[in-house]
């Protein structure tokens, strides 16, 4: 590693978010000053990352906690875009940052990925909540239940900042949509598909009709994959160029959203696509039964997750200069191409 280069460690580089963030780091105006390391499971993808993209790729997984801790210790900046709920992995990364701070006096930077699932309720598709969270309302953010989805890891990350051995920031993407694009995706290194909407698409293809939890009334925010990846870079640039003005710790929670939708709207758009493609005769979604929730979402409880409210406003990111371009209308338009892509995947 060159002494004047910034050591950056990224997790999830072969994933949807991580691949999109790495894509931007490789094209960054300061890319020549970055020394990027990624931890990946697949040895073939590691070779492509090194030979085609100049990324140092370490083969391993997040259960290898000593390796994760060491990689974190050797980085000044960490983009953690992998599993938001992997507490042992998060603890290993934080331990590495703590060791780095103790040895070098360096104040390392962590940009962790959570999600607006932390804001969800138990609406089961039946109602819209009036509660809207702003990422600048710290008291409101502190009031979130410690048992909420993602919350256990989020609190560990914030505590590291409070303890003073790292500057921590958390990005909370909402419903991320669209098929990701770029050289890493073209090379087969990174996964171009999201999780949330495809779950509903795959269920609809199997039952040959769009499905919805309850009445599909609750609201969620949405954000295009390109826009949320841009948020990581806007935040990173602000941390580097104006660290004292860039919120961290409790003031470093950044929602990713540019509009909101109901679950019914997504399901109806899937239904419209199924009719247009000759798979269904009626675009109107029908309510998932309990056995279907278990079949398509692994459990009844996780099925109800697709009928929760999660309402958020990305005020802090916009104040930093983040300018998302895509809207809820774009999200709804993205569903038919996604349905077509999943049909092709199933036929392959």
């Amino acid at each position: 590693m060159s002494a004047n280069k910034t050591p950056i460690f990224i997790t999830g580089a072969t994933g949807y978010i991580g691949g999109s963030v790495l894509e931007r780091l490789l094209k960054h105006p300061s890319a020549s000053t970055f020394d990027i390391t990624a931890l990946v499971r697949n040895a073939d993808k590691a070779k492509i990352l090194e030979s085609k993209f100049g990324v140092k790729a370490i083969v391993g997984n997040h259960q290898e906690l000593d390796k994760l801790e060491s990689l974190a210790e050797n980085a000044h900046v960490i983009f953690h875009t992998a599993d938001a709920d992997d507490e042992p992995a998060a603890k290993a990364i934080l331990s590495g940052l703590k060791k780095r701070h103790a040895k070098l006096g360096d104040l390392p930077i962590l940009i962790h990925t959570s999600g607006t699932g932390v804001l969800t309720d138990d609406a089961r598709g039946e109602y819209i909540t009036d509660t809207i969270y702003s990422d600048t309302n710290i008291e409101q953010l502190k009031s979130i239940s410690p048992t909420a989805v993602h919350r256990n890891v989020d609190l560990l990350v914030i505590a590291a900042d409070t303890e003073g051995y790292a500057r921590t920031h958390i990005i909370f993407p909402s419903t991320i949509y669209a098929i990701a694009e770029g050289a890493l995706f073209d090379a087969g290194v990174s996964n171009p598909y999201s999780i949330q909407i495809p779950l509903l698409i795959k269920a609809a293809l199997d039952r040959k009709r769009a499905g919805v939890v309850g009445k599909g009334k609750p609201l969620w925010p949405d954000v295009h994959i390109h826009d949320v990846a841009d948020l990581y870079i806007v935040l990173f640039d602000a941390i580097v160029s104006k660290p004292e003005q860039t919120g961290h710790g409790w003031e470093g929670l950044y929602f990713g959203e540019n509009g909101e939708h109901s679950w019914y709207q997504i399901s109806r758009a899937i239904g419209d696509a199924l009719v247009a493609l000759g798979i269904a005769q009626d675009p109107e979604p029908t309510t998932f039964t309990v056995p279907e929730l278990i079949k398509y979402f692994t459990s009844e409880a996780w099925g109800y997750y697709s009928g929760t409210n999660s309402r958020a406003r990305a005020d802090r990111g916009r104040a930093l200069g983040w300018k998302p371009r895509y809207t809820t209308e774009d999200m709804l338009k993205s569903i038919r191409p996604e349905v077509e892509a999943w049909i092709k995947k199933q036929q392959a």
Side-chain angles (χ1 to χ4, degrees), residues 249-313:
W250 279 110
E251 295 184 359
L253 311 183
Y254 297 82
F255 293 149
E257 61 77 28
N258 196 36
E260 61 182 3
H261 59 271
S262 70
W263 288 99
Y264 172 82
Q265 284 178 286
I266 289 179
S267 294
R268 178 58 194 241
I270 294 170
D272 289 337
L274 293 185
V275 170
L277 296 166
I279 293 168
Q281 294 183 322
D282 191 337
E284 188 65 18
T286 56
T287 300
F288 288 117
T289 63
V290 169
E292 283 183 317
L293 293 178
I294 296 166
K295 178 181 180 180
Y296 297 125
F297 303 96
T298 71
S299 71
E300 184 179 355
W302 274 114
Y304 287 134
Y305 185 79
S306 293
T308 56
N309 285 285
S310 172
R311 305 191 67 187
R313 298 292 181 265

Side-chain angles (χ1 to χ4, degrees), residues 116-122 148-149 220 305 308-310:
T116 63
V118 74
L119 310 177
T120 52
D121 56 15
D122 191 31
V149 178
W220 260 69
Y305 185 79
T308 56
N309 285 285
S310 172

Side-chain angles (χ1 to χ4, degrees), residues 7 73 75-77 97-98 100-109 164-166:
E73 185 181 345
H76 176 63
V77 179
L97 296 181
K98 195 169 194 174
R100 181 180 180 87
H101 179 67
K103 284 182 184 176
L104 303 179
D106 182 28
L107 193 59
I109 294 158
Y165 63 83

Side-chain angles (χ1 to χ4, degrees), residues 151-223:
R151 188 65 163 174
N152 56 329
V153 177
D154 292 349
L155 292 174
L156 290 173
V157 171
I158 295 166
D161 190 280
T162 304
E163 288 178 41
Y165 63 83
R167 285 214 167 168
T168 69
H169 317 75
I170 306 177
I171 290 180
F172 296 78
S174 48
T175 297
I176 317 178
Y177 63 90
I179 298 170
E181 298 170 338
L184 288 166
F185 302 96
D186 294 341
V189 169
S190 301
N191 161 47
Y193 301 105
S194 65
I195 296 172
Q196 206 172 53
I197 293 174
L199 270 177
L200 293 167
I201 290 172
K202 286 181 276 188
L205 289 172
D206 184 72
R207 70 203 293 271
K208 304 217 167 12
R209 185 157 181 175
V212 68
V213 174
K215 298 183 180 72
K217 286 184 176 181
L219 301 178
W220 260 69
D222 44 77
V223 65

